[in-house]
């Protein structure tokens, strides 16, 4: 295989990691990035003002409301949502550029946002992070000690609804231990890089160029 063939087959993967609140998405995502320094974090766009120490293009792409609305109009976002008067979204061009450079990119996002991404980017790899049990999830939520019982009950109810959407995902990973969950996601990434679909078109084109042509013969 030529170098060009190798490059074309090595386009990066978009890994979309989501799951119910309290399942540990942020912790697992951070550990994955620590283990795999070449794994790019999907930087979101937002209209909120930068906080002290935050840098444009690193923590967020900071946009004005007008700029963000134009991104929506131009279909330049894989998903977006409004929260407390500000917009947040995933820029399509950043994701595409990263993948074209042959780098894997991870997007940590809530369930509804992940489903929006799948509508516009179905070739992504969608991983649902599950708790070991609902009892464990409840313990993680109540362990924070910052929420009322009604809030906890509401979050558990939403979590059940979100887990019923598991069938939209490609893979499910139980977050029983952070190390084990990261191992499983890394294995998924390796398997996805070896899928035949990533090789077929380019390989056939290369083989056609290598096939001898019979000159002057007719059938």
């Amino acid at each position: 295989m030529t170098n060009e063939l190798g490059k074309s087959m090595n386009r990066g993967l978009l890994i979309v990691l989501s799951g119910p609140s309290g399942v540990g998405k942020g912790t697992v995502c951070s550990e994955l990035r620590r283990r795999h320094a070449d794994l790019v974090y999907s930087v979101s766009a937002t209209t909120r003002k930068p906080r002290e120490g935050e840098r444009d293009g690193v923590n967020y792409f900071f946009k004005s409301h007008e700029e963000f609305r134009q991104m929506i109009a131009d279909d330049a976002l894989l998903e977006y949502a409004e929260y407390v008067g500000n917009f947040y979204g995933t820029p399509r061009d950043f994701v595409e550029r990263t993948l074209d450079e042959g780098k894997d990119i991870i997007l940590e996002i809530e369930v509804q946002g992940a489903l929006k991404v799948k509508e516009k980017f179905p070739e992504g790899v969608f991983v649902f992070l599950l708790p070991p049990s609902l009892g464990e999830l409840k313990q993680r939520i109540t362990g924070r000690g910052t929420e009322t019982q009604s809030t906890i009950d509401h979050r558990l109810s939403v979590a059940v609804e979100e887990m019923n959407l598991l069938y939209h995902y490609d893979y499910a990973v139980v977050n029983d231990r952070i190390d084990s969950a990261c191992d499983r996601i890394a294995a998924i990434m390796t398997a996805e890089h070896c899928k035949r679909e990533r090789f077929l078109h380019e390989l056939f084109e290369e083989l056609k160029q290598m096939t001898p042509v019979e000159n002057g013969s007719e059938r």
Side-chain angles (χ1 to χ4, degrees):
M1 288 185 236
T2 66
N3 288 335
E4 287 303 314
L5 176 58
K7 289 177 183 177
S8 64
M9 291 189 298
N10 285 327
R11 189 172 191 256
L13 299 170
L14 170 61
I15 310 298
V16 181
L17 179 66
S18 67
S21 175
V23 78
K25 297 185 295 293
T27 304
V28 170
C29 184
S30 295
E31 177 61 16
L32 272 171
R33 293 170 62 202
R34 188 191 67 79
R35 290 189 185 191
H36 305 277
D38 54 347
L39 181 60
V40 178
Y41 182 70
S42 178
V43 181
S44 297
T46 183
T47 57
R48 78 159 173 78
K49 299 297 183 184
R51 294 169 183 157
E52 186 176 353
E54 289 184 332
R55 290 186 294 158
D56 184 56
V58 176
N59 303 99
Y60 285 96
F61 295 109
F62 293 101
K63 304 290 182 181
S64 68
H65 279 78
E66 292 73 19
E67 289 172 327
F68 202 100
R69 290 191 184 96
Q70 189 59 53
M71 293 178 75
I72 295 173
D74 294 340
D75 195 26
L77 296 163
L78 293 180
E79 58 79 33
Y80 69 91
E82 186 177 6
Y83 179 71
V84 194
N86 282 305
F87 287 104
Y88 296 81
T90 303
R92 183 193 296 269
D93 63 344
F94 178 77
V95 171
E96 289 285 4
R97 284 200 315 270
T98 303
L99 298 180
D100 288 342
E101 291 170 1
K103 300 175 183 177
D104 293 338
I105 182 169
I106 188 164
L107 171 58
E108 175 211 333
I109 193 170
E110 45 81 30
V111 173
Q112 295 301 327
L115 298 185
K116 291 179 183 177
V117 173
K118 190 169 187 179
E119 290 177 5
K120 294 188 177 182
F121 207 94
E123 62 268 38
V125 181
F126 292 81
V127 180
F128 195 96
L129 201 61
L130 285 165
S133 67
L134 278 177
E136 175 68 21
L137 182 63
K138 183 176 181 179
Q139 188 174 22
R140 291 178 186 180
I141 293 173
T142 56
R144 297 175 179 179
T146 57
E147 291 158 340
T148 64
Q149 186 60 48
S150 62
T151 300
I152 291 170
D153 291 342
H154 174 71
R155 290 183 62 184
L156 284 171
S157 175
V158 171
V160 170
E161 292 177 6
E162 290 175 331
M163 285 190 279
N164 281 327
L165 299 173
L166 175 61
Y167 66 90
H168 289 289
Y169 288 73
D170 302 306
Y171 299 93
V173 170
V174 175
N175 185 21
D176 46 1
R177 293 178 58 251
I178 294 171
D179 285 348
S180 298
C182 290
D183 288 344
R184 293 165 190 147
I185 296 171
I188 289 168
M189 293 165 61
T190 299
E192 285 289 330
H193 273 291
C194 296
K195 271 195 167 180
R196 66 183 183 185
E197 289 80 1
R198 293 174 60 84
F199 296 79
L200 286 175
H201 176 72
E202 292 84 356
L203 182 59
F204 288 160
E205 289 299 315
E206 184 77 2
L207 290 174
K208 281 197 295 186
Q209 295 176 19
M210 296 173 63
T211 302
V213 178
E214 296 182 13
N215 295 320
S217 64
E218 295 184 359
R219 296 187 180 183

